[in-house]
């Protein structure tokens, strides 16, 4: 490519040079012609040829007046002159043509030069790109050659190894062929020997057959004589073996089924050598059988807590919370046939080694022969989980997961989850107050209502909270305030406004908690005020509230209705007491400069203390009926807290998956309230579940739960002295929607 460009430049230079040379040659030719014409002698009148001054004539000329030729034919001169004139004309024409050509070339030549230069530049760029590609290809080829060389070396090395291996195998093949030939010769010799032995054996068998026929005839004769005697002896032996087997007592139902006892029912077992025998019910059907009934939980009186009949929660109503639980001691009670009529626990509960557990749900007061047919649910574990915890239930509850009260679990963090959704619930609360005034939150500091619109306030709704050992804390709207382990307060900038304090008070160290509100009102002394109290209940929750009202229809300022309230549920763990549970510490008696505070007393725990703000336009008072209806709606919206929040303590429990024999996972799921299905999962058995205040429940049959209050699903709690009595016992009040209180829970184990 580079040579091409050099050649192109050479041609261009040659064209330029040729053009200049031709022009020069034409000019010289014209000059030469002019000189020759000048040298031609012209004839004179006398016929002589006039010389040219300064020039010598041709040879033969005379005189010194120029050129004088010899006398000749004038026509020759004319012919010469005419030829020269023609030649001169042609040369002049050629000169004009060349001038035109030079003019055209002088016009086109710069453009050609410019085009050629651009072409040269483009070709140089293409040449550079080509050189770069060539360089890249050379690099790739170099790398490829290196890689191929390495592959070639590796292949050559592998080929050498394969060649060596082939040589070794070839050598072994030669050895094996030699060995095979030798063995073939030996085999042929052995075949000959075996054929000889076969012929000898056939001869011997023929002889023995003859003897056998003779012996058979003799044996028939002897057998006929002994048959009656032998049959009698065999029958006597079978009777003796049956008697011995009946006298052997097995250690468990699994031993019994292994000994051929495959019918479910009541058997006698001896758990350990030297121990006394006992009667147990054995299931010989589920998952191959061999299950021993060790206990049952029966509820004879849901209203009686730790009373006669509650054998699991206490010792006939006398065992306190510090005494050992029946789940972890060796006390026995009840009888096997009455396992669906009373609590039941036998020695097999703690004396027979076990790997797994099975649960039946059987209607009360039925004989053992009907249990299997009547059971609504049967399920079992098969992962041998008990081997990790002493191989029986007593060791599990005594040494690994004690049935004793544990540390409390704080649920206060869940308060934010409630207030975060309060905007959705607020419209439901407002619906009880027609013409609700949606006041304006107009404070730059977001901790008061400066005016609220239409002169509702002169800087009002300033909210403060405190506990017995802390100073007043002014709350900021749409924020959360934590007071160590005692309480958490959350506020919402909604309609109505809400300040809600959840009082955890772990350990019960704080004697009271209080909310205070300070307000300057738009009434400015010209309005009216009033106050009243109320009580409400919904489901397991109770509410007490007190209102302070300011209204001024004359000036048409929006009315103000402050509502202070306390909410508690003993069934959900609230600890409250005393007639002065909810009292006012400061209370106003005017329509302006309000200072109102309410407190909850007597070391409260697991309690709500709250404040909300209602209003109506044009000074219209919020009526007592409207307040009551609105607070009823609020109480209903609060009934989801805290039992529907996550208090997961499964890491402090034993959780094992189960396999259903009768019933399904969906059967159990359908018994769980839909609002709580996210916290409680069917298909498991959970042992030693804890509630939020640390009380244990022995067993959650069919489920595992993260609920703060597992009493709704679990059975067998210990006595909760000083706590809500309805949340403990063999069955709790809450289990009535999950467990059939008219059915007993039968507990089996198998090793």
């Amino acid at each position: 490519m580079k040579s091409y460009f050099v050649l192109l430049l050479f041609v261009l230079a040659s064209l330029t040079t040729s053009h200049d040379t031709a022009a020069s040659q034409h000019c010289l030719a014209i000059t030469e012609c002019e000189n020759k014409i000048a040298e031609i002698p012209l004839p004179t009148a006398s016929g002589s040829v006039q010389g040219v001054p300064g020039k010598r004539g041709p040879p033969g000329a005379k005189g010194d007046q120029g050129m004088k030729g010899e006398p000749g034919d004038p026509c020759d001169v004319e012919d010469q002159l005419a030829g020269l004139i023609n030649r001169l004309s042609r040369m002049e024409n050629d000169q004009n043509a060349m001038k035109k050509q030079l003019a055209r070339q002088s016009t086109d030549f710069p453009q050609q030069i410019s085009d050629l230069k651009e072409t040269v530049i483009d070709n140089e760029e293409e040449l550079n790109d080509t050189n770069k590609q060539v360089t890249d290809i050379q690099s790739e080829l170099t790398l490829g050659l290196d890689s191929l060389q390495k592959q070639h070396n590796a292949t050559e090395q592998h080929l050498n190894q394969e060649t060596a291996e082939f040589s070794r195998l070839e050598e072994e093949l030669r050895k094996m062929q030699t060995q095979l030939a030798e063995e073939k010769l030996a085999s042929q010799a052995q075949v000959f020997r075996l054929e000889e032995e076969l012929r000898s054996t056939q001869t011997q068998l023929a002889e023995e057959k003859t003897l056998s026929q003779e012996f058979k005839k003799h044996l028939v004769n002897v057998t006929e004589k002994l048959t009656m005697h032998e049959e009698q002896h065999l029958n006597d032996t079978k009777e003796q073996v049956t008697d011995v087997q009946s006298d052997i007592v097995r250690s468990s139902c699994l031993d019994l089924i292994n000994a051929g006892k495959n019918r479910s029912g009541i058997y006698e077992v001896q758990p350990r050598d030297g121990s006394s025998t006992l009667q147990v019910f054995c299931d010989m059907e589920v998952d191959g059988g061999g299950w021993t009934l060790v206990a049952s939980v029966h509820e004879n009186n849901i209203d009686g807590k730790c009373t006669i009949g509650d054998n699991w929660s206490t010792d006939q109503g006398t065992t306190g919370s510090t005494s050992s639980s029946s789940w972890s001691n060796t006390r026995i009670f009840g009888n096997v046939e009455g396992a669906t009529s009373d609590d039941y626990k036998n020695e097999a509960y703690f004396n027979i080694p076990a790997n797994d557990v099975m649960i039946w749900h059987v209607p009360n007061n039925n004989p053992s022969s009907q249990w299997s047919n009547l059971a609504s649910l049967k399920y079992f574990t098969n992962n041998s989980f008990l081997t990790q915890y002493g191989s029986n239930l007593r060791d599990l509850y005594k040494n690994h997961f004690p049935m004793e009260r544990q540390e409390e679990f704080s649920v206060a963090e869940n308060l934010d989850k409630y207030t975060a959704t309060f905007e959705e619930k607020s419209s439901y609360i407002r619906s009880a107050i027609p013409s609700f005034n949606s006041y304006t939150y107009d404070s730059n500091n977001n901790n008061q209502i400066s005016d609220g619109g239409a002169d509702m306030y002169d800087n009002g709704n300033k909210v403060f909270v405190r506990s017995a050992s802390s100073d007043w804390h002014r709350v900021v709207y749409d924020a959360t305030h934590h007071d160590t382990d005692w309480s958490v307060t959350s506020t919402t900038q909604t309609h109505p406004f809400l300040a809600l304090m959840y009082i955890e008070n772990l350990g019960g160290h704080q004697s009271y908690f209080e909310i205070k509100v300070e307000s300057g009102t738009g009434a400015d002394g010209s309005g009216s005020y009033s106050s009243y109290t109320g009580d409400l209940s919904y489901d397991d929750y109770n509410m007490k509230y007190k209102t302070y009202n300011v209204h001024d229809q004359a000036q048409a300022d929006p009315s103000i209705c402050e509502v202070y309230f306390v909410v508690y549920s003993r069934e959900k763990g609230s600890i409250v007491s005393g007639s002065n549970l909810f009292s006012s510490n400061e209370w106003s008696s005017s329509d302006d400069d309000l200072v109102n505070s309410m407190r909850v007393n007597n070391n409260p725990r697991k309690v709500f203390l709250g404040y909300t703000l209602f209003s109506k336009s044009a000074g219209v008072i919020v009526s007592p009926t409207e307040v009551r209806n609105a607070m009823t709606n609020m109480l209903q919206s609060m009934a989801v807290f805290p039992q529907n929040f996550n208090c997961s303590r499964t890491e402090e429990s034993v959780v094992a998956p189960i396999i259903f024999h009768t019933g399904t996972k969906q059967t159990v799921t359908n018994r769980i309230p839909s609002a709580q299905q996210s916290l409680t999962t069917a298909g498991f058995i959970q042992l030693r579940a804890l509630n939020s205040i640390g009380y244990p429940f022995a067993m959650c049959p069919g489920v595992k739960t993260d609920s703060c209050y597992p009493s709704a699903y679990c059975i067998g709690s210990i006595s909760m002295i000083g706590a809500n009595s309805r949340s403990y016992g063999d069955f709790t009040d809450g289990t009535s929607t999950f467990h059939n209180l008219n059915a007993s829970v039968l507990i089996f184990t198998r090793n």
Side-chain angles (χ1 to χ4, degrees):
M1 182 65 72
K2 187 173 182 181
S3 300
Y4 166 76
F5 291 135
V6 173
L7 179 59
L8 183 62
L9 293 174
F10 176 75
V11 171
L12 181 62
S14 299
L15 288 175
T16 305
T17 305
S18 175
H19 176 272
D20 294 341
T21 303
S24 299
Q25 288 176 349
H26 278 290
C27 292
L28 290 174
I30 292 169
T31 304
E32 182 180 358
C33 288
E34 290 175 347
N35 291 334
K36 286 183 179 182
I37 291 171
E39 293 176 355
I40 296 173
L42 298 178
T44 64
S46 59
S48 60
V49 179
Q50 184 180 352
V52 178
K55 297 290 184 179
R56 292 186 64 88
K62 294 181 178 180
D64 54 2
Q65 296 292 319
M67 297 177 59
K68 292 185 180 182
E70 293 290 336
D73 189 352
C75 292
D76 292 337
V77 174
E78 290 177 358
D79 290 339
Q80 292 179 4
L81 179 60
L84 288 172
I85 291 171
N86 288 335
R87 182 179 177 188
L88 179 61
S89 177
R90 286 196 303 272
M91 292 178 67
E92 185 177 4
N93 290 336
D94 291 341
Q95 182 181 15
N96 291 333
M98 292 184 68
K99 286 181 179 179
K100 292 179 180 180
Q101 183 179 359
L102 286 172
R104 287 196 301 271
Q105 289 181 351
S106 63
T107 301
D108 297 339
F109 187 70
Q111 181 62 39
Q112 293 177 358
I113 293 297
S114 176
D115 293 344
L116 287 172
K117 286 182 179 180
E118 290 180 0
T119 303
V120 169
I121 292 172
D122 292 341
N123 289 333
E124 284 180 346
E125 291 178 354
E126 182 180 357
L127 178 62
N128 291 335
D129 292 341
T130 303
N131 288 337
K132 184 177 184 303
Q133 293 177 5
V134 169
T135 302
D136 293 341
I137 292 172
Q138 287 177 340
S139 300
E140 292 178 1
L141 288 174
T142 301
L143 294 174
L145 287 173
D146 291 343
S147 176
L148 288 174
Q149 183 63 41
K150 292 179 181 178
Q151 293 179 6
H152 172 73
N153 295 339
T155 303
E156 186 176 20
Q157 182 179 2
H158 180 70
L159 181 62
N160 293 336
Q161 293 175 349
E162 292 294 329
T163 302
E165 179 66 14
F166 178 78
S167 300
R168 184 184 65 78
L169 293 174
E170 192 175 37
E171 180 63 25
E172 289 185 0
L173 178 61
R174 284 195 293 271
K175 291 180 181 179
M176 292 177 66
Q177 289 174 338
T178 302
Q179 183 179 0
L180 182 61
E182 295 174 351
E183 290 178 352
K184 185 176 180 181
L185 293 174
S187 297
Q188 290 176 348
Q190 186 176 7
V191 168
F192 293 146
R193 182 178 60 80
L194 290 175
E195 289 177 347
E196 182 64 26
E197 289 181 357
L198 178 60
R199 286 191 292 272
S200 175
T201 301
Q202 288 175 341
T203 302
Q204 184 178 357
L205 284 174
E207 296 174 352
E208 290 180 353
K209 183 176 181 181
T210 302
L211 292 175
S212 175
Q213 290 174 348
E214 295 177 356
F215 179 76
K216 185 176 182 181
K217 293 178 182 179
H218 177 70
L219 182 61
V220 169
N221 294 331
V222 173
T223 301
E224 290 176 353
K225 295 178 182 179
L226 295 177
T227 298
M228 294 183 63
H229 175 74
E230 291 293 335
E231 286 181 354
Q232 182 62 42
H233 179 70
L234 180 60
N235 290 335
D236 293 344
T237 302
K238 286 182 178 179
E239 290 178 0
Q240 292 175 5
V241 169
T242 300
D243 293 340
V244 170
Q245 287 180 336
S246 299
D247 291 340
I248 297 175
V249 179
R250 303 296 175 176
S251 62
S252 68
C253 295
L254 185 62
D255 285 348
L256 285 167
I257 200 171
N258 290 336
K261 303 293 184 180
N262 55 12
R263 180 177 298 178
S264 298
I266 295 177
Y267 292 87
E268 195 169 70
V269 298
Q270 185 179 23
R272 300 182 186 277
D273 292 340
S275 65
S276 59
T277 60
L278 66 146
Q279 286 188 329
V280 297
F281 177 83
C282 295
D283 171 69
M284 303 304 193
E285 299 174 2
V286 177
D287 193 41
W291 295 95
T292 303
L293 177 67
V294 299
S296 73
V297 182
H298 169 84
E299 182 55 67
N300 65 338
N301 179 13
I302 192 64
D303 293 323
K305 302 300 179 183
C306 297
T307 57
I308 299 299
D310 282 345
N311 290 284
W312 289 104
S313 55
T314 63
D315 181 6
Q316 295 297 320
T318 61
T319 302
S321 61
T322 58
S323 300
S324 65
S325 164
S326 292
W327 296 95
S328 55
N329 62 27
T330 57
R331 178 174 169 264
I332 60 175
F333 40 84
N335 65 84
V336 62
E337 187 61 50
T340 62
S341 303
D342 200 357
D343 290 338
Y344 170 60
K345 175 185 170 188
N346 61 34
E347 293 179 15
Y349 179 88
F350 48 83
N351 268 342
I352 294 181
N355 297 345
D356 287 293
V357 171
M358 179 171 69
I359 302 294
W360 287 8
H361 296 251
V362 181
N364 288 340
N365 305 317
N366 283 288
S368 61
S369 60
Q370 297 297 315
W371 292 348
S372 183
N373 294 331
L374 294 175
S376 61
L377 289 170
K378 295 179 184 178
Y379 45 85
F380 59 92
T381 68
N382 70 342
N383 61 352
S384 301
F385 77 95
L386 276 177
T387 58
Q388 304 175 56
Y389 308 111
S391 295
N392 62 61
L393 290 171
R394 187 236 177 180
D395 275 357
L396 183 147
Y397 289 120
K398 178 179 175 59
N399 299 319
H400 300 277
F401 294 90
M403 287 294 291
E404 300 171 358
R405 187 176 181 185
Q406 307 297 310
E407 291 184 3
E408 295 188 37
F409 179 91
S410 174
V411 299
E413 297 301 324
N414 290 295
L415 182 62
D416 287 343
K417 299 178 182 178
Y418 171 77
T419 55
T421 61
F422 187 73
E423 178 65 35
E424 303 171 8
K425 304 176 178 66
S426 60
S427 60
Y428 176 56
I429 297 169
R430 286 197 309 272
S431 66
I433 304 175
S435 302
F436 187 96
N437 172 47
S438 296
Y439 34 83
T440 303
Y441 292 97
D442 54 5
S443 168
N444 293 330
N445 295 325
N446 208 32
N447 60 1
Q448 67 178 26
I449 298 176
S450 299
D451 180 86
D455 198 28
M456 179 178 178
Y457 281 113
D458 294 332
N459 296 324
N461 206 52
K462 305 169 188 175
V463 184
F464 303 82
V465 295
R466 72 173 179 180
S467 63
S469 64
S470 65
D471 296 327
W472 286 112
H473 170 79
R474 184 171 179 178
V475 302
V476 176
Y477 297 173
D478 271 339
T480 300
H481 169 66
H482 295 263
D483 191 1
T484 64
D485 293 335
W486 302 327
S487 69
V488 56
T489 303
S490 185
T491 57
T492 64
Q493 197 164 279
T494 54
H495 297 97
F497 172 85
L498 176 68
L500 189 64
M501 177 190 296
Y502 182 69
I503 301 169
E504 190 93 54
N505 200 16
L506 297 178
H509 300 298
Q510 298 298 307
S511 60
Y512 69 86
F513 295 82
E514 190 170 1
I515 286 183
K516 178 176 69 172
V517 179
E518 298 178 354
S519 294
T521 72
D524 299 323
S526 61
S528 302
Y529 62 91
S530 61
S531 182
Y532 52 86
T533 62
D535 291 271
L536 294 170
S537 62
Y538 175 78
D539 197 7
D540 293 329
Y541 289 82
N542 297 283
M543 172 186 280
K544 294 179 179 293
Y545 66 87
K546 187 173 183 179
T547 70
Y548 195 88
N549 305 274
V550 175
H551 49 97
D552 183 8
Q553 287 184 305
Q555 296 191 24
D557 293 341
S559 62
I560 296 170
C561 180
E562 299 179 350
V563 184
Y564 303 80
F565 60 91
V566 62
V567 176
Y568 57 91
S569 171
R570 290 187 172 91
E571 288 70 25
K572 300 300 185 290
S574 297
I575 299 177
V576 292
S577 62
S579 58
N580 65 334
L581 171 66
F582 189 50
S583 65
S584 57
N585 185 41
E586 296 180 82
W587 205 248
S588 300
S589 58
S590 70
D591 65 351
D592 197 6
D593 297 325
L594 309 182
V595 179
N596 297 316
S597 69
M598 293 296 295
R599 65 171 56 170
V600 56
N601 302 296
N602 306 322
N603 305 88
R605 302 178 62 191
K606 310 290 183 182
V607 172
F608 290 104
L609 178 62
Y611 159 77
T612 189
L613 176 63
F614 301 150
S615 176
K616 297 183 76 169
S617 302
V620 178
I621 188 172
V622 183
S623 70
T625 300
E626 291 171 343
V627 170
R628 184 175 185 84
N629 292 339
M631 296 310 292
T632 298
N633 292 351
M634 181 173 289
L635 180 60
Q636 291 174 358
S637 74
M638 294 177 62
V640 300
F641 185 87
Q643 76 272 19
N644 280 6
F645 292 128
N646 193 321
C647 295
S648 176
R649 305 187 73 168
T650 52
E651 74 282 356
E652 300 176 72
S653 303
V654 177
V655 177
I658 57 177
I659 298 172
F660 285 90
H661 177 274
T662 301
T664 64
K665 180 179 178 180
Q666 190 61 45
T667 304
V668 178
T669 300
N670 291 341
R671 297 182 178 184
I672 304 171
S674 58
Q676 301 178 27
Q677 287 183 4
S678 62
L679 297 174
T680 303
T681 307
F684 298 88
I685 182 171
Q686 183 174 350
L687 306 179
R688 213 288 292 273
L690 299 172
N691 67 11
S692 64
I693 57 176
Y695 281 100
F697 294 80
M699 183 178 297
C700 306
V703 299
K704 66 175 181 178
T705 181
D706 291 328
S707 172
C708 299
Y709 300 97
S711 58
Y713 315 100
C714 308
I715 61 176
S717 70
I718 64 172
S719 175
M720 301 184 190
I721 303 299
N724 172 32
S725 62
R726 295 175 63 189
S727 296
Y728 63 85
D730 292 352
F731 283 69
T732 69
D733 288 2
T735 58
S736 59
T737 58
F738 182 72
H739 294 291
N740 181 1
L741 298 182
N742 294 317
S744 298
V745 176
L746 305 188
I747 305 171
F748 297 78
T749 62
R750 181 177 69 179
N751 57 347

